[in-house]
Amino acid sequence: MSSTGEKTEIGRRDFLGVSAIVAGAIAMLSVVAGALRLTKSNVYYEQSQKFKIGRPENFPAGTKVKLDEKKVFIFSENSGLYAISSICTHLGCIVSQTDSGFLCPCHGSRYDGIGNVVGGPAPRALPWLEISLHEDGNLVVDASKEVKSGTMFLI
Amino acid sequence: MQSRFYASLLLISALILLAFVSYAGLRELNPEWKTYQKEYKRLFFNNAVTPDMKKKAAEYTVGIRQIYIKDLNRVDRCDNCHVGVENPLMAKEKVPYRQHSGTYLKDHPVTKFGCTICHLGQGNATNKKEAHAEGHDTYWDYPILPLKHIQSSCTQCHNMDFLSKHGADVIIEGEKLFNEKGCKGCHKLSGNGGVLGKALDGVGSQPIHYFPMRYVEGERTQPSWLKQHFEDPRKVVPESVMKVKLTPEEADKLTTYILSIRTYDPPKIYRRINEEPIVAKDGHALYNMYCVACHEDGKLSAFDENLKGTIPAIENPAFLMNADDRFIEMVVKEGRKGTPMTSWQLSSAGLTDEEIKKIVSYVALQRGHESSKPVSVNLKTGDKDAGKEIFNVRCALCHGEKGQGGLGLNLANQIIKKADDQYLFKTIRDGRATTPMPPFGSTGLGLTDQQIVNVISYIKAF
Ligand code: FES
């Protein structure tokens, strides 16, 4: 009788101690998790890569525009709209448009009309950028999102 | 027994720690903006009509957002709560879901301008209290600008001419009040104006701590201070000597204008300011701009409690009859030392000679046609001591023992020394109709011409 009583006594004390340690450990772990969470930042100090280029009406088929500030060409054809980056894939100069495509003034990389390399040191084609429609009716180009060459945005 | 005690202590403290940690964790995981974004998503989806829009709404992801604008050196996170500013489907929802009013965002794309360049507030903050920053306890210098004063932000990039053609009526009327209530009579702005009050350059970008908020009611922000100060200057600054009191509507408009006087200029590529044609102001406009705050219409000479002196009636025909343009011009140029009257010349309050001439001719318009007959006054015959006796009995009561002024004007200053003898003689002899100054001459209180000359010699020696 007395021995069982003693047993429960010890059991209860054990339970108390164990749960205290477990609770403490959980709390400490959460604190550590919280601290680790701080090492990953939610947002960065950088300009958004997305920008609006205007309403689709402003880009009737046949339009070719170069947006100097945004470093991108916008083309509109019957089959849709597409945006090609104007940053040379060699060392980052801004390419200019020629009759047959694009030409980089720095080291003479040449690209065809849809951005594929046809000569010079450029290692790869000019990237096509994602175009989408904002809910306010403007077209948005996201320079951080590359799409497959030939992807048209249908208005 | 003891170990049990310690175990319980450990358990309790562990539980308390756990409670704190979970509270902090829950708060971190459920910030204010998340609630708004979730609700926005729901509203967006409900309001969408076309399948395309429904799809867009469904694709909307809840998450922290920000607008970083390098050229303006600003990070605005307002769109975490004001989610729908660019969404026409949100036009009818309530704030913060609602679309931005008007067509402003068309010409001022969010990605180029952000929010705080116009609305002020703490762009970096991600909760309402700190973002709106209304009051000292948020430690931010520029609280969100109340919408009724929002036009004060337009002047950063646009000039008044442009604004008047584009419906910025509040700030235009505010500027008009500023020019017509004589603010520059006491406050310098862009190099000219009086010196009794603080200069106003850059006052619109003064931090919240620049303004003593002790007596300000409601939100303790710059606009509240300005508005309440315009309605009743001494309520907000007990020692203020400012005379002007405005109606609440006027105070709102003037506040908008004053808030537009900022030091911070956005980079040139943002500004749309072309040189404003400088329109030369006529005498009347100049009088309103610089003189009207103290002299009002100039018809009444009155003792001012706050300035502790009598403001002379400069449009009083009796004064103008005796004072010629040259004398008035001298007073305007040199001011009256020992009184609140500022020296207005270019080197002090910044008015050009031409502007002063215009003001003088405007003041002189009230002069009647008949000018008083010239008298010959020979001061050499004046007896200072005899003059002193008369002065102490007849004049000191109002003008002070030493001519320091009181109910009457201050006489102990350069202007009186330089004033034309004839002018002083006639003033004493004929008095100043409509002011407490009586005629002391033989037809009035009975001083002889010689006695008047004696008094003048005494006055000139102060
Ligand atoms: S950067 Fe264009 S070719 Fe080198």
Side-chain angles (χ1 to χ4, degrees):
Chain A
M1 192 59 193
S2 70
S3 70
T4 37
E6 199 152 46
K7 229 183 195 169
T8 25
E9 189 79 355
I10 293 167
R12 199 193 292 158
R13 197 186 298 156
D14 273 357
F15 174 72
L16 206 63
V18 167
S19 48
I21 287 168
V22 169
I26 294 178
M28 292 315 285
L29 275 179
S30 329
V31 170
V32 171
L36 287 177
R37 163 76 187 71
L38 290 179
T39 59
K40 189 183 154 283
S41 92
N42 281 323
V43 281
Y44 298 95
Y45 279 95
E46 58 188 19
Q47 200 109 24
S48 165
Q49 299 279 71
K50 275 189 181 178
F51 49 89
K52 289 186 191 166
I53 55 172
R55 303 186 150 262
E57 303 89 274
N58 302 342
F59 298 91
T63 319
K64 288 179 189 169
V65 280
K66 183 184 184 191
L67 302 177
D68 287 322
E69 240 178 272
K70 308 294 185 189
K71 301 177 182 158
V72 65
F73 292 100
I74 312 286
F75 298 93
S76 174
E77 286 170 10
N78 285 327
S79 49
L81 270 171
Y82 56 101
I84 298 183
S85 161
S86 64
I87 303 169
C88 178
T89 53
H90 179 224
L91 291 174
C93 290
I94 301 299
V95 301
S96 53
Q97 216 177 349
T98 61
D99 291 341
S100 56
F102 307 97
L103 173 73
C104 180
C106 293
H107 315 95
S109 285
R110 276 175 294 118
Y111 304 85
D112 67 7
I114 56 165
N116 292 324
V117 186
V118 290
R124 59 187 210 94
L126 291 172
W128 284 43
L129 305 175
E130 188 195 76
I131 298 183
S132 57
L133 190 66
H134 192 272
E135 46 278 22
D136 68 3
N138 282 302
L139 292 167
V140 178
V141 174
D142 188 343
S144 64
K145 285 202 186 128
E146 199 176 321
V147 292
K148 254 188 51 215
S149 163
T151 316
M152 297 285 183
F153 177 79
L154 302 174
I155 300 173
Chain B
M1 227 29 221
Q2 233 183 16
S3 69
R4 194 172 155 197
F5 170 74
Y6 283 119
S8 323
L9 197 65
L10 180 62
L11 181 61
I12 289 169
S13 44
L15 286 178
I16 291 176
L17 179 64
L18 199 58
F20 273 119
V21 169
S22 15
Y23 173 71
L26 280 178
R27 232 175 51 152
E28 174 69 20
L29 293 175
N30 293 299
E32 212 176 329
W33 52 264
K34 225 175 220 176
T35 329
Y36 290 128
Q37 293 193 0
K38 282 183 189 150
E39 174 65 3
Y40 167 74
K41 185 168 179 167
R42 195 183 66 80
L43 291 170
F44 186 7
F45 193 81
N46 285 353
N47 293 353
V49 196
T50 61
D52 272 2
M53 276 298 158
K54 288 256 185 233
K55 201 175 141 227
K56 265 201 131 12
E59 279 168 3
Y60 176 86
T61 49
V62 173
I64 194 102
R65 291 163 157 71
Q66 75 173 6
I67 308 155
Y68 172 63
I69 299 155
K70 195 161 157 249
D71 290 332
L72 294 176
N73 194 18
R74 272 164 201 269
V75 181
D76 287 347
R77 298 181 179 145
C78 317
D79 56 341
N80 284 295
C81 299
H82 297 273
V83 238
V85 280
E86 290 191 280
N87 190 342
L89 291 171
M90 293 288 136
K92 297 221 170 59
E93 300 302 339
K94 56 185 199 303
V95 178
Y97 311 106
R98 191 191 292 163
Q99 187 196 11
H100 196 286
S101 63
T103 51
Y104 301 101
L105 294 191
K106 238 184 116 217
D107 306 313
H108 308 87
V110 174
T111 42
K112 182 175 173 190
F113 290 83
C115 318
T116 55
I117 185 78
C118 296
H119 290 280
L120 309 187
Q122 181 173 202
N124 304 46
T126 48
N127 64 59
K128 181 179 171 182
K129 184 176 179 233
E130 284 171 20
H132 291 199
E134 289 157 321
H136 283 71
D137 61 335
T138 40
Y139 308 106
W140 188 252
D141 287 341
Y142 305 106
I144 188 171
L145 193 57
L147 287 179
K148 61 181 175 185
H149 301 307
I150 196 70
Q151 291 176 10
S152 67
S153 290
C154 306
T155 54
Q156 294 177 101
C157 299
H158 300 288
N159 55 11
M160 288 294 183
D161 187 44
F162 174 92
L163 292 176
S164 66
K165 288 181 194 129
H166 290 78
D169 47 330
V170 180
I171 189 163
I172 296 294
E173 282 171 45
E175 190 195 30
K176 214 169 133 214
L177 283 168
F178 182 79
N179 288 337
E180 289 177 358
K181 295 285 179 185
C183 303
K184 286 183 109 181
C186 296
H187 299 280
K188 251 198 171 68
L189 176 61
S190 321
N192 54 33
V195 292
L196 287 187
K198 284 195 177 168
L200 297 179
D201 297 280
V203 66
S205 38
Q206 287 294 1
I208 204 167
H209 307 89
Y210 174 84
F211 300 89
M213 295 288 179
R214 183 154 170 218
Y215 301 106
V216 172
E217 276 168 21
E219 276 154 13
R220 300 189 152 185
T221 58
Q222 292 98 326
S224 311
W225 189 95
L226 289 168
K227 181 177 182 202
Q228 292 175 28
H229 177 247
F230 296 146
E231 285 172 1
D232 186 355
R234 271 158 293 286
K235 201 192 98 194
V236 178
V237 184
E239 66 275 19
S240 169
V241 297
M242 187 156 128
K243 277 176 73 84
V244 183
K245 283 189 182 180
L246 302 182
T247 65
E249 295 77 45
E250 288 176 326
D252 269 336
K253 289 173 186 161
L254 188 60
T255 301
T256 303
Y257 176 70
I258 297 295
L259 286 170
S260 78
I261 307 172
R262 301 188 191 173
T263 46
Y264 167 70
D265 283 341
K268 248 207 175 120
I269 48 162
Y270 282 84
R271 309 188 76 197
R272 292 290 174 269
I273 294 196
N274 18 30
E275 277 309 311
E276 231 165 318
I278 297 172
V279 192
K281 294 206 156 53
D282 63 5
H284 182 79
L286 289 167
Y287 182 89
N288 278 346
M289 200 157 186
Y290 297 107
C291 317
V292 85
C294 288
H295 291 288
E296 297 178 10
D297 62 2
K299 299 259 155 45
L300 273 184
S301 145
F303 184 77
D304 189 279
E305 287 291 335
N306 303 302
L307 290 171
K308 305 268 178 295
T310 297
I311 295 166
I314 50 177
E315 293 282 38
N316 182 348
F319 161 74
L320 290 171
M321 197 161 81
N322 293 334
D324 58 5
D325 286 8
R326 209 181 43 79
F327 175 68
I328 303 175
E329 194 181 321
M330 184 174 76
V331 177
V332 176
K333 271 193 179 159
E334 301 186 6
R336 283 210 173 184
K337 278 224 180 67
T339 77
M341 177 69 180
T342 310
S343 154
W344 288 94
Q345 61 199 351
L346 206 53
S347 55
S348 2
L351 294 197
T352 61
D353 288 359
E354 201 186 323
E355 285 172 317
I356 292 179
K357 279 219 165 65
K358 277 186 192 167
I359 293 177
V360 173
S361 0
Y362 172 74
V363 171
L365 285 179
Q366 299 297 323
R367 185 181 286 140
H369 284 301
E370 90 276 21
S371 54
S372 56
K373 269 194 236 104
V375 284
S376 67
V377 182
N378 188 355
L379 271 198
K380 293 214 178 71
T381 66
D383 176 349
K384 251 191 261 171
D385 295 329
K388 182 179 177 183
E389 245 164 67
I390 302 169
F391 185 88
N392 283 345
V393 178
R394 304 276 193 136
C395 318
L397 199 62
C398 291
H399 290 288
E401 288 272 332
K402 302 225 152 42
Q404 75 274 26
L407 177 61
L409 296 185
N410 176 319
L411 300 176
N413 63 56
Q414 286 301 317
I415 289 298
I416 296 294
K417 283 206 176 60
K418 286 189 196 169
D420 189 45
D421 298 335
Q422 279 204 35
Y423 163 71
L424 293 176
F425 183 88
K426 285 179 194 164
T427 305
I428 297 173
R429 187 190 64 188
D430 304 337
R432 237 347 113 60
T434 74
T435 79
M437 174 80 179
F440 282 94
S442 43
T443 52
L445 297 179
L447 291 186
T448 65
D449 287 2
Q450 182 55 45
Q451 281 174 313
I452 295 177
V453 171
N454 292 345
V455 170
I456 297 176
S457 334
Y458 177 61
I459 291 173
K460 288 233 168 183
F462 275 135

